[in-house]
Amino acid sequence: MNETLNMLFRHRIIPTVVIDDVSKAIPLTDALVAGRLPVVEVTLRTADSLAALERIIDRRDMLVGVGTVTTLAQFDAAWRLGARFVVTPGFDDNILRHGNRRDILVIPGAVTPTEIMQAQNMGVSLVKYFPSESFGGLRAIEALSGPFPKMRFFPTGGINQDNLRPYLENRSVFACGGTWMAKREWVKDGAWDKIQKACAEAVEVVRSVV
Ligand code: 3PG
């Protein structure tokens, strides 16, 4: 689990992908790797998403996690396939406990002080902050860091190449996620060059803030 955390922290950006067609899974990961970003959060939002996850997990050169996990059944399906981390959009203590039993990193969603307290009291030190820009973005994260100085945030939602840098410069921000590096329509259209370019540009921002 710590190794996964360290790897995520090294990347500091995690493409969130929505895959409508399983045949796009491998070319998509090729584009991410070519953009020097061998990490992905496959969201369980489409009929093909688990099949896509299965194909991507077969690749040993990627750190592969799963997102939009809202049920224990989805959690188990992803865990069985070998997902390295699980992201939930909201806070669910059942899923969190289940994840602890399975010894896999779970990053639960938490945006309010109440949810962050719940997470913290269950031993969580990293929460997904979603949808970040709608919930106050970096200003809100800075305010929340007052009462929760040890909590680290993984903001997603409304992050893009233009607002990425200040997020990454903030010490409470562990990593940022989002679809801007591999937009759903780019994946649908097979616009692999666009994905590779967007990843490479995002990686340049990470390198410049480290
Ligand atoms: C997520 O699940 O984290 C979001 O859908 C990502 O939001 P974005 O599309 O605004 O990047």
Side-chain angles (χ1 to χ4, degrees):
M1 210 192 288
N2 281 343
E3 194 199 331
T4 305
L5 264 177
N6 288 341
M7 285 170 83
L8 290 175
F9 189 62
R10 266 205 302 280
H11 290 302
R12 294 209 75 203
I13 40 175
I14 302 167
T16 311
V17 300
V18 183
I19 303 174
D20 291 280
D21 170 359
V22 65
S23 73
K24 299 293 197 312
I26 293 301
L28 166 61
T29 50
D30 285 340
L32 298 178
V33 171
R36 290 173 293 155
L37 204 44
V39 55
V40 69
E41 176 190 324
V42 179
T43 60
L44 299 189
R45 295 184 196 176
T46 63
D48 276 13
S49 52
L50 275 174
L53 180 69
E54 188 169 11
R55 284 199 191 177
I56 295 173
I57 275 175
D58 271 350
R59 292 188 58 138
R60 294 288 146 208
D61 55 345
M62 294 281 297
L63 177 61
V64 185
V66 66
T68 322
V69 171
T70 57
T71 66
L72 289 179
Q74 284 177 321
F75 181 103
D76 275 336
W79 176 76
R80 265 186 232 108
L81 289 175
R84 296 278 297 277
F85 60 95
V86 169
V87 184
T88 65
F91 187 80
D92 183 319
D93 50 348
N94 258 331
I95 295 183
L96 204 52
R97 267 191 285 272
H98 197 65
N100 289 342
R101 281 195 294 270
R102 299 261 193 244
D103 198 26
I104 176 173
L105 174 67
V106 181
I107 309 175
V111 287
T112 66
T114 306
E115 290 162 350
I116 295 167
M117 268 175 70
Q118 278 179 287
Q120 191 167 267
N121 289 339
M122 288 185 71
V124 171
S125 56
L126 172 64
V127 292
K128 171 172 164 120
Y129 191 77
F130 168 78
S132 182
E133 286 293 299
S134 308
F135 273 91
L138 196 50
R139 278 189 64 201
I141 290 173
E142 277 167 355
L144 289 163
S145 300
F148 304 110
K150 291 192 176 144
M151 187 56 75
R152 292 294 170 266
F153 296 87
F154 169 44
T156 79
I159 299 180
N160 54 53
Q161 184 67 17
D162 297 328
N163 62 9
L164 174 64
R165 179 182 298 276
Y167 273 103
L168 293 178
E169 283 172 346
N170 189 289
R171 57 173 292 281
S172 295
V173 173
F174 176 85
C176 290
T179 56
W180 87 94
M181 292 163 276
K183 294 181 181 156
R184 186 173 184 166
E185 58 272 24
W186 290 352
V187 179
K188 266 189 185 163
D189 295 348
W192 312 126
D193 52 338
K194 287 185 183 165
I195 293 172
Q196 179 179 336
K197 183 166 175 281
C199 288
E201 283 170 359
V203 168
E204 279 312 309
V205 176
V206 174
R207 293 200 172 156
S208 70
V209 297
V210 171

